[in-house]
Amino acid sequence: MKTIIKNAKVITMNEARTIHEHGYVIIEDGVFTAIEHGEPAEEAAKGANVVNADKKWLMPGLINTHGHTGMSLFRGVSDDLPLSKWLAEHIWPLEQKLDQKAVEAARLLSMVEMIESGTTTFLEMYHLHLDDFAAAVEEAGMRATLMRSVIGLCSKEEQEEKLAESLGFARRWHKQANGRIQTMLAPHAPYTCPPDYIERIVEAARQEGLPVHMHLAETRKEIHDYMDEYGMHPVELLQERDLLSGTEWLFAHGVHMHEQHYELLGAHQAAVSHNPKSNLKLGSGIAQVASMQKHGIVVSLGTDSVASNNALDLFEEMRTAVLLQRGINEQADIVTTWEGLNMATSNGAKALRFANLGTIEVGQQADFIMLNPEQAHLHPSSQAVSHLVFAAKGSDVTDVYVQGAPLMKDKQLLTLDKERILKEANEQLRRLQQ
Ligand SMILES: [Zn+2]
């Protein structure tokens, strides 16, 4: 199957930062086979499905590298608390009530929101009903990294059971759905998983060749408590136990760390998912993205769950990330406009270890989005890259493709029933709160 999208402004995000003001892309078997300036030759268009983009902007799909879509019914349930109280008093009690139907409703709602705002790939770290979700992701046509996360504040037997469950899921779904689904192992956090358990999980991940995802240094309180208990920062403990080397790490947050910690993560090719809005909403702090970049850490973007955000719009996340670093460092180029776009696209692919993803180039997976530029906040239209970072909104996205297949066309979702999903999400939350 061959598709041609013509008459588009193509923002390739390649090394040379090529932008075709009037260009086209050719997709065959889910992969880009040509990206060119001008109009496709008649010969190339023969037998192809030709789509006229009508001057829309075409760019790589956005990649959300940290989240918990299973919690999406909790959007806005508690707005003014720090992480520890927010979790213990509101989120964990509600989670006790979550059942298969509620989690399914939450996740379908999230997929609608992500596709509508231009996210093509996302990470889900959660403990409930992952097999159902993997099947739903496959059906919806999205790309995802999924993991059954574990909390180790329990007996050794229970820890082993949870790990076995995680491993079973990871093995069943890794590289499934035509390569669109990958898996990781995921100890929830150093404060919820004792060091021996993290070590056990990392060993299993090394054996299976799977990356590991974990919350890290999200709040100052968590680090204080950890220092009291173990006498060192969690990054130092990971290093002392030799858990950083030989492991493909993706950490979420990394807010409360010192220069030497960023240096250690960089030296071990770790990636960090930066979640600026969630960190701000919970009053957790601001991660030192500039320090991460200086030490060679791959910095990608995440939203965390909508309970601490409240949106899954990566355009907002990208803008917040860039502006925050400039403000706290009092330096306008500390994180450049291009670096902001990279965080939301190619760095996301690197962080999730998806090969051939995150740019519009020949041989890359054809995951891309189109935006309607005919709006006042995107004009004059000559500075598209600046507008994408500083002015664009998720609602500007009109078309979404993953592996060359359309998930949304002219704002119409093709694989999900939005009306039914919104209704169901409300009904399920009402049921939980009864
Ligand atoms: Zn999280």
Side-chain angles (χ1 to χ4, degrees), residues 66-68 125 188 215 218 252-253 275 278 304-305 308:
H66 182 68
H68 317 278
M125 177 199 219
H188 172 266
H215 292 106
E218 183 174 357
H253 305 300
N275 294 235
S278 172
D304 221 335
S305 84
S308 65

Side-chain angles (χ1 to χ4, degrees), residues 110-374:
S110 297
M111 286 201 286
V112 167
E113 186 182 0
M114 287 191 282
I115 294 171
E116 285 194 322
S117 56
T119 293
T120 48
T121 300
F122 66 97
L123 177 148
E124 169 74 342
M125 177 199 219
Y126 212 50
H127 57 292
L128 297 172
H129 309 293
L130 263 298
D131 282 285
D132 293 347
F133 190 35
V137 170
E138 181 169 19
E139 210 179 305
M142 293 191 79
R143 186 185 297 275
T145 293
L146 308 174
M147 62 210 67
R148 192 274 190 224
S149 56
V150 295
I151 286 182
L153 305 173
C154 51
S155 69
K156 280 251 173 322
E157 291 71 37
E158 278 178 83
Q159 286 183 352
E160 282 304 310
E161 264 172 43
K162 288 179 178 180
L163 176 58
E165 221 182 278
S166 292
L167 270 170
F169 172 77
R171 287 178 187 139
R172 277 192 297 283
W173 285 96
H174 195 48
K175 299 189 191 298
Q176 294 303 299
N178 202 25
R180 286 187 285 110
I181 293 179
Q182 294 193 165
T183 59
M184 294 188 182
L185 296 186
H188 172 266
Y191 64 92
T192 52
C193 291
D196 284 349
Y197 193 34
I198 294 179
E199 191 166 330
R200 177 84 185 84
I201 296 164
V202 168
E203 276 167 9
R206 285 171 178 165
Q207 267 172 15
E208 298 285 324
L210 292 169
V212 187
H213 185 45
M214 181 168 75
H215 292 106
L216 177 69
E218 183 174 357
T219 63
R220 192 177 299 280
K221 177 183 183 308
E222 156 202 339
I223 298 302
H224 277 166
D225 294 350
Y226 204 83
M227 300 285 287
D228 283 347
E229 190 164 357
Y230 299 104
M232 63 183 90
H233 190 281
V235 171
E236 290 158 15
L237 192 128
L238 291 173
Q239 167 71 355
E240 194 187 72
R241 293 199 168 209
D242 195 27
L243 300 181
L244 289 175
S245 62
T247 310
E248 293 182 304
W249 276 107
L250 169 60
F251 295 106
H253 305 300
V255 177
H256 294 278
M257 315 221 295
H258 294 295
E259 200 72 21
Q260 68 266 29
H261 304 134
Y262 292 129
E263 196 179 334
L264 270 174
L265 297 197
H268 292 96
Q269 287 86 48
V272 173
S273 176
H274 175 44
N275 294 235
K277 279 185 64 196
S278 172
N279 295 156
L280 289 174
K281 190 182 179 199
L282 295 174
S284 302
I286 299 170
Q288 301 293 326
V289 170
S291 295
M292 293 182 197
Q293 289 182 328
K294 188 173 103 189
H295 292 294
I297 295 172
V298 171
V299 185
S300 57
L301 293 177
T303 53
D304 221 335
S305 84
V306 293
S308 65
N309 191 305
N310 296 4
L312 300 176
D313 180 346
L314 280 176
F315 284 99
E316 280 185 20
E317 219 64 46
M318 173 163 55
R319 178 151 54 247
T320 307
V322 173
L323 293 177
L324 268 180
Q325 294 305 310
R326 294 179 180 196
I328 59 167
N329 291 286
E330 299 183 34
Q331 188 184 330
D333 65 351
I334 192 101
V335 174
T336 66
T337 308
W338 273 102
E339 282 168 340
L341 264 187
N342 276 332
M343 280 196 264
T345 54
S346 55
N347 282 11
K350 285 179 199 153
L352 299 185
R353 277 80 178 178
F354 272 108
N356 306 316
L357 187 69
T359 59
I360 312 278
E361 292 179 276
V362 171
Q364 293 285 79
Q365 292 282 305
D367 292 19
F368 61 94
I369 60 177
M370 291 196 273
L371 292 86
N372 170 22
E374 292 311 313

